[in-house]
């Protein structure tokens, strides 16, 4: 069966949060320690601003959520509603990269094209608003997908706001 997609609504938040929690817990294994997975929950999770802005997608197969993710015209690069340091300032498409944000795959659908579909949707939508570059902060488990899609690493950081240092990679792609 082929995937379908739609824009997320506030009613999706409980189901999306459950998918995110499962994705963080399962798909980060082998890339992060148990302590880092727990710590990463401080800098990952639902960002309802994306849903309010209409830039967050839900990918489904037979009415089951296979994944979710979106893009943003706002300055925040990563983090959920609960993450400190968020910046809602609008970006300038002429000079700023659009942000690819909050990508999560239901572990039952991993490596079936969900992430690539979300990246395509984000790229098309951002380009339609005049953006010429995409930027994201990727996890180590997401980095291979992003590189295969054409993103290049530009900076490696660790975020220890949750306790243990979580390695992340800032990546960029021209569109």
């Amino acid at each position: 069966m082929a995937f379908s997609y739609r824009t997320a609504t506030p009613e999706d938040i409980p189901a999306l949060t459950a998918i995110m929690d499962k994705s963080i817990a399962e798909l980060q294994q082998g890339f992060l320690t148990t302590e880092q997975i727990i710590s990463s929950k401080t800098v990952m999770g639902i960002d309802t601003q994306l849903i309010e802005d209409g830039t967050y997608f839900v990918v489904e197969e037979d009415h089951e959520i296979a994944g979710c993710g979106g893009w943003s015209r706002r300055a925040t690069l990563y983090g959920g509603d609960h993450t400190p340091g968020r910046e809602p300032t609008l970006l300038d498409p002429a000079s700023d990269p659009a942000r690819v944000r909050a990508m999560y795959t239901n572990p039952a659908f991993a490596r079936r094209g969900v992430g690539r579909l979300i990246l395509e949707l984000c790229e098309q939508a951002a380009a339609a608003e005049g953006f010429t570059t995409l930027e994201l902060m990727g996890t180590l488990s997401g980095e291979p997908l992003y590189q295969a899609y054409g993103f290049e690493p530009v900076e490696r950081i660790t975020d220890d706001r949750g306790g243990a240092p979580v390695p992340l990679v800032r990546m960029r792609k021209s569109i």
Side-chain angles (χ1 to χ4, degrees):
M1 175 171 263
F3 293 119
S4 61
Y5 63 88
R6 60 183 173 77
T7 303
T9 67
E11 292 75 27
D12 293 316
I13 292 172
L16 295 176
T17 301
I19 293 294
M20 291 173 186
D21 290 344
K22 192 171 191 169
S23 178
I24 292 167
E26 295 182 29
L27 299 181
Q28 298 298 317
Q29 291 179 14
F31 295 91
L32 301 177
T33 66
T34 300
E35 293 78 17
Q36 288 172 316
I37 291 171
I38 293 166
S39 181
S40 69
K41 292 179 182 182
T42 300
V43 296
M44 297 181 190
I46 193 85
D47 183 344
T48 54
Q49 182 71 64
L50 301 172
I51 294 171
E52 291 170 23
D53 288 347
T55 60
Y56 201 68
F57 303 105
V58 176
V59 174
E60 297 173 313
E61 183 181 73
D62 197 27
H63 304 291
E64 183 176 0
I65 296 176
C68 52
W71 72 281
S72 182
R73 57 181 78 86
R74 297 183 185 275
T76 298
L77 182 58
Y78 70 102
D81 286 348
H82 58 281
T83 305
R86 298 167 51 76
E87 178 54 56
T89 303
L90 290 172
L91 300 168
D92 179 358
S95 59
D96 298 318
R99 313 300 198 207
V100 174
R101 300 281 320 282
M103 289 189 50
Y104 297 93
T105 300
N106 179 336
F109 292 88
R111 291 165 201 42
R112 291 187 40 204
V114 174
R116 181 169 284 279
L117 174 57
I118 293 168
L119 289 170
E120 290 170 0
L121 295 169
C122 292
E123 182 174 341
Q124 291 167 5
E129 289 201 19
F131 286 93
T132 59
T133 307
L134 294 175
E135 189 170 75
L136 59 80
M137 187 64 82
T139 60
L140 297 183
S141 65
E143 185 176 5
L145 166 66
Y146 303 137
Q147 282 189 316
Y149 193 75
F151 281 86
E152 296 180 4
V154 295
E155 177 186 22
R156 292 187 182 276
I157 68 164
T158 56
D159 191 320
D160 62 1
R161 291 179 286 178
V166 177
L168 299 168
V169 57
R170 184 180 204 130
M171 304 181 82
R172 195 170 291 141
K173 178 184 192 260
S174 295
I175 54 175

